[in-house]
Amino acid sequence: MGTLTYKKSYKKSYKAPIKLSKIAVLVSSVLTLLPASMATAAEVEETITVTGSRFDRSAEQQLMVINTIEREEIERLNPKSVADVLEILPGVSVSRNGGPGQNTSISIRGSNSNHVLVLIDGVKIGSATLGAVSFNTLSPENIERVEVLKGPRASIWGSDAIGGVIQIFTRQLKEGEWFASTEYGSNDYIRGTLGFGVNHGEGSTSFSVNHEQSDGYDVYNGSDVENDDDGYQRSSFSLKGSQPINQYWQALWNAQYDKGTYQYDDTFASGSADESDYENYLWNLGAKYRNESFISKLTLSQSRDYNENFRGDNTNVPTNIYETTRDQINWSNQYTVTNGLILNGGIDWSREEISGDYEQNQRDIIGVYGLLQQQWNKLLIEVAVRYDDVENIDSELSYNTSLAYQFNAQWRLSATTGTSFKAPTFNDLYWPNSGNPDLLSETAKNYDLTLNYQVDNLVAYVSLFQNQVDNLITWASTGEMEVRKPVNINKAEMSGAELSANYQLFNLEHQLSYTYLKAEDTQTDEQLIGRSKHDFSYLLSYEWQQFDLLANYHYQGERYAGYGDFFDSYQQLDLSVGYHIDNRWTLRLKANNLLDETIISAKNYLSPSRELFFSVNYQAF
């Protein structure tokens, strides 16, 4: 199998039309994304690569389900949060404590939200105390591409990758390329974004800045006590660059800084003034060596997750401070032995350090991994093994075994099995007076069978999956008064089917995805909280002369809320209309929740009602 390419069509008098094709199926198969139009147009070939094995590879070399979203697709979606981007993907479920500035959790194929590894430009982010990622602090305006890997990838990435991996890549521009945009909308939402690139010799560095704020609305409907609006504001800055040193060596760097505040309503509805401030950052320095058959990359990075909570009438003194600092060193290598044999391997080291009155406030984690991929005619095989040693916790050996068979140009079948784990958080282990330092890591075993189909104007796949999780950590009573401690007692199983199809005809592009999920506690046979059995999305994209239209319909089945209760199912329709004045200026009108549905995905928390936004965008590329 050769390099995967697709042909992108565009009209010479305008910029390349914004396509929504890449969301569908980068799944262990030969997937050729198709023209957005059947009209006469100039054609440009572009190679699609994804980084499921840490290095760029064509989609035909991947043996797991990978969905991607590109910058031009994000612009048409005009999201207000990263969760808005992820929610349109099959198998990805979002739970919100309100709108875009509120706490948000992401689940992949029914996994816990803390069973999803999140990376920004290769740097792991998130809290080591809670084990969660604050998606509400991230701005979608600084994102170039998102990749979502389905299934366990601990054999490549280490801890947390039980449900999958979310990789976020920030924007990079060259000299003469720049963009600016402004937006105003419902709840006094205001946004301003600016980005530009500069060259230095043969290298370049891009800079981007974004600020947005909203007066918000009352997110909590469980009490009449806290009936105030819950607004937010956030600012972000990012830079990303590279510099060739010679024909083999390249220097790489990137950094991101996020700062903001958001008001929220706590579940106790005490009527206090609840507010949270955050100030997060990451930076990454790297060197990359490449020749015809060997690639080696060494990176040094650091990330910080910092949050201050304020409650009560005194908003000048924080009642709680949470901080995680994570230092990382990663050395990864890829050697192409022959056209059909590829070897990967590397070492990862990280040190997690937290603030607070904990028995232990730091730990080191070291992992060593290796991967072999072999192509024999129509058969592709991949085996990966990784050993992780987590300080003061048991060590873990993870593996992945995958194979795919290409029947013909249209059909491909792939199968994967693998193990994964998540190390206990600092709260689980060392929370003052109630932590349990004897905890084991949560572990999982996954099975996946995926069938792919491709013809001239249709790309589709259906994937059957099962994920069995053991040693789940649950806070349970110790029998001593009201003392509760975390213990490894729960087991869960998530199984189901995921279907995605991308069909194109003339200027219309249809994208459909459906997920059936059965997620249960295997000890009680009770449905897992926050999961729904049925999830359906349909995106319709249309282009006509200077206009583009995107209709995004999402149906979420009822979710289990615990104690025999369910959150009602809902349907949401978003509509985006863009007018391209020329190849640089674009006006866009976006309507969210056009049907004005009452949407509740977390107990007593309301998602936004109908909203309207208008933006003006300029870009020079």
Side-chain angles (χ1 to χ4, degrees):
M1 292 183 290
T3 302
L4 178 66
T5 62
Y6 78 94
K7 295 180 179 179
K8 179 190 284 187
S9 300
Y10 61 91
K11 300 176 182 179
K12 292 183 178 179
S13 56
Y14 294 101
K15 64 182 181 180
I18 303 168
K19 292 174 51 56
L20 285 162
S21 52
K22 297 178 190 171
I23 188 177
V25 203
L26 293 170
V27 196
S28 65
S29 67
V30 181
L31 301 180
T32 302
L33 299 184
L34 306 170
S37 170
M38 300 296 291
T40 302
E43 292 184 339
V44 178
E45 287 194 350
E46 179 179 339
T47 300
I48 302 173
T49 60
V50 286
T51 58
S53 299
R54 293 205 172 193
F55 288 95
D56 291 346
R57 290 187 185 176
S58 61
E60 65 183 356
Q61 294 175 300
Q62 302 295 337
L63 288 105
M64 77 292 293
V65 178
I66 305 180
N67 302 134
T68 68
I69 307 174
E70 302 289 342
R71 179 66 223 170
E72 49 193 13
E73 300 160 356
I74 295 173
E75 289 177 356
R76 288 186 86 171
L77 286 168
N78 194 20
K80 297 298 167 283
S81 68
V82 174
D84 293 343
V85 178
L86 296 169
E87 193 169 29
I88 67 173
L89 295 172
V92 178
S93 180
V94 176
S95 178
R96 298 178 173 88
N97 286 8
Q102 304 296 317
N103 285 330
T104 301
S105 60
I106 305 294
S107 172
I108 297 179
R109 291 182 170 180
S111 67
N112 288 343
S113 59
N114 60 358
H115 289 170
V116 177
L117 176 64
V118 182
L119 308 166
I120 297 181
D121 290 326
V123 180
K124 180 179 179 178
I125 64 170
S127 167
T129 55
L130 292 175
V133 173
S134 300
F135 287 95
N136 57 310
T137 67
L138 303 175
S139 170
E141 295 302 317
N142 290 338
I143 296 176
E144 179 66 30
R145 186 173 85 255
V146 178
E147 293 181 6
V148 178
L149 290 70
K150 309 290 183 63
R153 295 302 288 172
S155 60
I156 300 296
W157 302 99
S159 178
D160 298 3
I162 288 180
V165 180
I166 297 175
Q167 294 198 81
I168 298 173
F169 301 91
T170 55
R171 304 177 75 168
Q172 184 166 7
L173 307 171
K174 297 180 180 180
E175 187 166 336
E177 298 179 342
W178 66 284
F179 63 87
S181 65
T182 185
E183 185 173 11
Y184 179 78
S186 298
N187 302 318
D188 283 332
Y189 174 85
I190 301 173
R191 176 182 61 82
T193 306
L194 173 67
F196 61 92
V198 296
N199 287 353
H200 31 78
E202 296 182 357
S204 63
T205 300
S206 61
F207 304 84
S208 62
V209 61
N210 177 77
H211 176 79
E212 55 191 295
Q213 62 186 52
S214 172
D215 289 346
Y217 63 98
D218 188 11
V219 302
Y220 193 75
N221 73 334
S223 171
D224 295 330
V225 177
E226 296 192 64
N227 54 0
D228 59 332
D229 289 341
D230 301 296
Y232 70 94
Q233 60 176 326
R234 60 189 177 202
S235 301
S236 60
F237 170 80
S238 66
L239 66 86
K240 188 174 186 178
S242 63
Q243 178 67 51
I245 299 173
N246 54 40
Q247 63 176 342
Y248 301 113
W249 287 94
Q250 181 183 28
L252 309 165
W253 56 85
N254 62 271
Q256 180 161 317
Y257 175 78
D258 301 288
K259 182 178 182 179
T261 183
Y262 61 93
Q263 299 164 339
Y264 62 95
D265 291 334
D266 64 63
T267 57
F268 302 104
S270 60
S272 62
D274 296 333
E275 183 176 305
S276 183
D277 295 348
Y278 61 88
E279 189 172 7
N280 304 335
Y281 69 78
L282 66 86
W283 57 263
N284 189 20
L285 298 174
K288 187 175 183 179
Y289 174 86
R290 176 194 293 267
N291 61 29
E292 292 183 356
S293 59
F294 180 65
I295 305 173
S296 184
K297 185 176 180 180
L298 179 66
T299 61
L300 172 66
S301 60
Q302 184 182 82
S303 64
R304 184 181 80 154
D305 185 284
Y306 181 83
N307 190 282
E308 295 180 347
N309 286 344
F310 301 85
R311 290 185 178 178
D313 296 329
N314 187 358
T315 57
N316 295 320
V317 180
T319 56
N320 298 100
I321 297 177
Y322 305 95
E323 181 177 13
T324 296
T325 303
R326 183 178 289 108
D327 298 320
Q328 302 174 67
I329 299 176
N330 308 101
W331 182 40
S332 52
N333 305 273
Q334 177 172 287
Y335 179 57
T336 303
V337 182
T338 65
N339 288 335
L341 177 60
I342 299 175
L343 302 177
N344 280 36
I347 301 174
D348 299 321
W349 173 88
S350 66
R351 171 169 292 168
E352 298 177 336
E353 185 172 357
I354 64 170
S355 63
D357 186 19
Y358 291 82
E359 182 180 344
Q360 298 282 341
N361 61 10
Q362 77 173 38
R363 67 183 178 193
D364 291 350
I365 304 172
I366 187 167
V368 181
Y369 70 95
L371 178 148
L372 180 150
Q373 187 178 97
Q374 175 69 62
Q375 178 80 54
W376 285 294
N377 297 320
K378 295 183 177 182
L379 184 66
L380 180 63
I381 297 177
E382 181 179 279
V383 177
V385 180
R386 180 183 173 108
Y387 173 83
D388 284 275
D389 182 71
V390 184
E391 187 177 2
N392 298 323
I393 308 294
D394 58 315
S395 59
E396 294 292 336
L397 186 66
S398 309
Y399 74 86
N400 254 84
T401 302
S402 307
L403 60 89
Y405 186 79
Q406 186 75 41
F407 295 98
N408 51 41
Q410 291 79 38
W411 294 96
R412 193 190 199 197
L413 181 67
S414 60
T416 298
T417 183
T419 60
S420 55
F421 76 100
K422 176 176 176 56
T425 67
F426 279 83
N427 281 2
D428 294 331
L429 294 165
Y430 310 119
W431 184 263
N433 302 317
S434 60
N436 182 359
D438 297 324
L439 288 172
L440 303 175
S441 294
E442 299 173 313
T443 59
K445 190 168 186 178
N446 178 272
Y447 304 90
D448 186 291
L449 183 67
T450 303
L451 180 65
N452 306 274
Y453 179 71
Q454 172 196 337
V455 291
D456 289 341
N457 58 352
L458 173 64
V459 177
Y461 75 85
V462 60
S463 182
L464 306 178
F465 59 87
Q466 182 185 68
N467 202 357
Q468 301 168 337
V469 186
D470 293 328
N471 292 330
L472 275 173
I473 297 173
T474 300
W475 286 68
S477 174
T478 62
E480 301 176 8
M481 301 295 288
E482 296 182 358
V483 177
R484 295 170 63 86
K485 287 191 175 183
V487 289
N488 295 102
I489 59 173
N490 277 13
K491 296 183 179 182
E493 181 176 299
M494 291 78 70
S495 59
E498 180 180 298
L499 182 146
S500 178
N502 184 329
Y503 178 70
Q504 300 175 353
L505 180 65
F506 301 111
N507 286 0
L508 288 171
E509 181 172 359
H510 310 265
Q511 293 186 39
L512 298 93
S513 65
Y514 169 74
T515 303
Y516 171 79
L517 175 67
K518 183 180 179 182
E520 294 183 343
D521 183 322
T522 56
Q523 293 178 318
T524 64
D525 293 330
E526 190 174 53
Q527 187 173 339
L528 296 181
I529 293 177
R531 279 72 162 183
S532 60
K533 290 186 177 181
H534 305 285
D535 189 314
F536 173 78
S537 292
Y538 171 55
L539 280 76
L540 174 66
S541 177
Y542 177 72
E543 295 175 4
W544 177 72
Q545 295 184 359
Q546 295 167 255
F547 293 90
D548 69 67
L549 179 145
L550 174 66
N552 177 18
Y553 172 82
H554 180 74
Y555 170 80
Q556 185 74 56
E558 64 177 14
R559 307 188 198 208
Y560 186 54
Y563 302 104
D565 294 331
F566 288 85
F567 301 131
D568 291 338
S569 62
Y570 64 83
Q571 53 185 339
Q572 180 174 345
L573 176 63
D574 300 338
L575 189 65
S576 174
V577 179
Y579 175 71
H580 305 274
I581 299 174
D582 54 28
N583 62 346
R584 296 194 174 191
W585 288 94
T586 301
L587 308 179
R588 186 166 300 280
L589 187 65
K590 174 69 181 296
N592 287 338
N593 195 8
L594 198 60
L595 303 178
D596 202 22
E597 282 269 298
T598 299
I599 299 174
I600 299 177
S601 57
K603 188 175 183 179
N604 293 328
Y605 287 97
L606 292 166
S607 291
S609 56
R610 185 185 296 119
E611 297 177 308
L612 191 64
F613 302 92
F614 176 73
S615 62
V616 180
N617 301 279
Y618 178 87
Q619 61 181 19
F621 293 114

